Amino acid sequence: MIGPELIAIAIFLFTYALIIDERIHRAVAAMLGASVIVFLHIVPWEKIPVYVDLGTIFLLMGMMIIVNTARGSGLFEYIAIKTAKLAKGSPMRVLLLFSLVTAVISAFLDNVTTVLLITPMLLYIAGVMRITPLPFLIAEIFASNVGGAATLIGDPPNIMIGSAAGLTFNEFLVNLAPIMVVNIVVVMGMLALIYRKELHVSPGEKGVIEKTFAELNEQEAIRDISLFKKSVAVIALVIGMFFIHDLLGLEPALVALIGASILLFWSRQPPEEIFEKIEWPALFFFGGLFIVVGALVETGTIAAVAGFVVESVHSEAEAMLIIAWFSAIASAVVDNIPLTATLIPLIHDMGASMNTYPLWWALSLGACLGGNGTAIGASANVVVLGIAARNGLTISFVEFLKVGMLVLFVTVGIGTAILWLNFFVL
C-alpha cells in the first residue's frame, strides 16, 4: 500500500508540473492539488489554518486594494512623466532614472503593478526618441526584481519569509536593502555598457528629444486631484507604519489592511470596483500552494529532507551558500513562490541543529534575484515581455537569457559575499 508520504510527494510534483507547464492557470493547479490533499485527509480539514499563511495573503490583499484605488488618480503616470522630464533628452539618463524609479516603487509596491504602470511610458518615450525600447524594458525588469528584494513587502517571497520567520520590515532594510543598492548600481553600469550603442543619439536628435520632453505636462496625468492627494497621504502613512510596525505591535498584514480601509473610507471609491481588481487568482494560488506544501510537512517529508541537508553541510556558512545559489538557479526556471513555500519549512526544521537567521536572508536573496535569469523567471518578466510583444517588439528567450544569467550570477555573487561578510566575518 502506498504511504501518505509518497502520495504527498506525487501530488506536489504533479502540481508543480502543472504550474511549470502553464497550459492551465497556476491558481487552478494549486487549488486542484490542495483539493486532492484535503480529500485524501493527508492534511486534515481542521489543520488547514495551520498551513495557510494568512499573514501573506492579507498583506498582498491590502496592498492590492491600496494600489488599485490610487491608480485611478493618475499618481503613477505623474511619477513616470516627471522622471522622463528630468532625463532632458538623454537615453542613458532615461534608462538610469526609470530604473531607479522602478526599483524604489517595486520596493514598496507589487512588482507586476509597477511594471504595468511604467512599461507603456517607456514604450512611448522610446518612440519619441526613435530608438529601440529594448534596453529600457530589460533594465526595468532587472530593476523591479532587484528593488523588490530590498524590503519585506517588495516581492511575494519576502512576504512569505517575513511571515514564516517573524522578520520585521526594518530587519529587511538592514540586511537586504544595502545589498540591493549595490546591486542596482552594478546592474545599471552593466546595462549601460552592454547597450551603449542602442542608447546613442546625435547632438541634433538630443535637442529635438529634449524639446519634446519639455512639452510633456505631468499635471495632465492627474485625473483626480483629491484622490491623488489622499493616495499619497495614505501610501506615506502605510510605509511609515511598516518602519515601526514592530514597535506598534502590529503585523505587516494588519498595517496594509488598515491603510486599505482608510483609503477606501476617505476616498469614497466604489468598493465593488476596487475589489474586482484584486488579483484573486494570485491569492487562491497562495492558499492552495500552502496546503500542498503543508502536506509535505504533515507527512514528515520536509523533516527528512532537512535532516539529509543538515547531515550534508558542515557549517551555517555552507548552508547559507547552498540555499542562496540553489534557490537562485531554481527560481530562474520555476516560479519563486512555490519554491519559497517549499524551502521555508525545510529551513524551519534545520533550526533544530543550527542558527537559521542567515539562511532566511540567503533564501530571500536567491528567490528574488534568481527571477532575473530567464524570461519566465519572474512574473514581472512575463508581463513586460508580453506588453512588448503586443507593441511589435519580440524579445526571444535566448536573447534575454544571455543578459539575464549574467545579471543573476553577478547580483547573487555580490549578495552572498556581503551576507557572508556580515554574518561570518565582521
Side-chain angles (χ1 to χ4, degrees):
M1 185 176 178
I2 300 176
E5 298 87 355
L6 290 178
I7 295 174
I9 293 171
I11 294 172
F12 172 79
L13 293 175
F14 176 70
T15 303
Y16 223 108
L18 290 178
I19 292 170
I20 296 171
D21 184 66
E22 293 186 331
R23 275 185 285 188
I24 66 170
H25 197 283
R26 62 180 187 171
V28 177
M31 289 175 66
L32 176 63
S35 299
V36 176
I37 289 290
V38 177
F39 176 77
L40 295 177
H41 301 287
I42 296 173
V43 172
W45 174 258
E46 60 273 12
K47 278 200 172 184
I48 287 178
V50 174
Y51 294 115
V52 175
D53 190 343
L54 295 179
T56 295
I57 291 174
F58 284 132
L59 177 54
L60 283 171
M61 184 184 297
M63 294 308 296
M64 287 174 186
I65 292 171
I66 292 171
V67 169
N68 288 325
T69 305
R71 182 184 294 171
S73 70
L75 170 62
F76 303 108
E77 291 88 340
Y78 174 90
I79 295 172
I81 294 174
K82 197 79 172 175
T83 306
K85 293 179 76 170
L86 289 173
K88 296 182 179 178
S90 168
M92 186 68 74
R93 214 173 285 148
V94 167
L95 182 141
L96 296 176
L97 285 174
F98 267 93
S99 296
L100 179 60
V101 169
T102 300
V104 171
I105 295 177
S106 292
F108 298 102
L109 299 178
D110 178 73
N111 288 5
V112 173
T113 300
T114 303
V115 298
L116 280 171
L117 295 166
I118 290 180
T119 302
M121 184 57 64
L122 286 175
L123 291 170
Y124 169 74
I125 290 171
V128 172
M129 291 181 166
R130 297 179 182 177
I131 62 174
T132 174
L134 174 65
F136 300 152
L137 300 182
I138 295 293
E140 180 194 13
I141 288 171
F142 296 150
S144 70
N145 290 329
V146 172
T151 69
L152 169 67
I153 59 172
D155 215 4
N158 283 3
I159 297 172
M160 298 166 68
I161 292 166
S163 180
L167 303 173
T168 67
F169 187 86
N170 288 343
E171 284 180 287
F172 273 87
L173 285 182
V174 169
N175 289 285
L176 289 184
I179 294 174
M180 299 314 152
V181 170
V182 174
N183 272 332
I184 198 68
V185 171
V186 172
V187 170
M188 291 308 103
M190 291 168 57
L191 294 180
L193 185 64
I194 292 170
Y195 293 113
R196 61 190 182 280
K197 293 182 180 178
E198 289 87 342
L199 295 171
H200 176 73
V201 293
S202 66
E205 291 173 326
K206 185 177 179 180
V208 174
I209 293 169
E210 188 172 350
K211 181 181 177 182
T212 303
F213 279 172
E215 293 172 353
L216 289 172
N217 186 357
E218 65 271 18
Q219 297 297 328
E220 294 178 357
I222 302 175
R223 297 186 290 275
D224 186 332
I225 187 63
S226 175
L227 180 58
F228 181 93
K229 293 177 180 178
K230 292 171 182 176
S231 299
V232 171
V234 172
I235 290 173
L237 173 66
V238 169
I239 292 172
M241 290 177 70
F242 277 132
F243 279 103
I244 60 172
H245 74 90
D246 51 326
L247 297 177
L248 298 174
L250 301 176
E251 291 295 321
L254 184 55
V255 171
L257 290 174
I258 289 172
S261 302
I262 292 173
L263 187 54
L264 282 173
F265 176 78
W266 195 13
S267 68
R268 294 292 195 273
Q269 295 295 300
E272 59 273 11
E273 293 182 8
I274 303 301
F275 294 157
E276 284 177 0
K277 296 175 184 175
I278 291 176
E279 295 173 39
W280 294 109
L283 300 182
F284 277 100
F285 171 67
F286 272 106
L289 194 66
F290 284 138
I291 295 172
V292 172
V293 174
L296 299 180
V297 178
E298 184 73 14
T299 57
T301 304
I302 293 292
V305 173
F308 174 78
V309 172
V310 169
E311 290 174 4
S312 303
V313 299
H314 305 291
S315 67
E316 292 167 9
E318 187 177 334
M320 186 192 76
L321 292 174
I322 290 172
I323 287 173
W325 283 104
F326 171 77
S327 58
I329 294 171
S331 290
V333 180
V334 300
D335 195 292
N336 59 10
I337 294 171
L339 178 72
T340 303
T342 305
L343 293 179
I344 281 173
L346 187 148
I347 294 176
H348 269 308
D349 281 8
M350 291 174 70
S353 59
M354 65 177 67
N355 174 24
T356 59
Y357 192 73
L359 308 188
W360 294 117
W361 305 117
L363 174 58
S364 174
L365 182 85
C368 294
L369 297 183
N372 282 326
T374 68
I376 61 170
S379 299
N381 307 18
V382 177
V383 170
V384 172
L385 298 185
I387 295 173
R390 288 196 296 273
N391 285 270
L393 175 66
T394 301
I395 303 172
S396 71
F397 187 91
V398 174
E399 187 178 9
F400 188 97
L401 187 70
K402 290 177 182 177
V403 183
M405 290 305 293
L406 176 62
V407 169
L408 184 156
F409 280 101
V410 169
T411 55
V412 176
I414 291 171
T416 51
I418 294 175
L419 287 178
W420 184 75
L421 287 172
N422 285 345
F423 290 110
F424 303 106
V425 177
L426 299 179

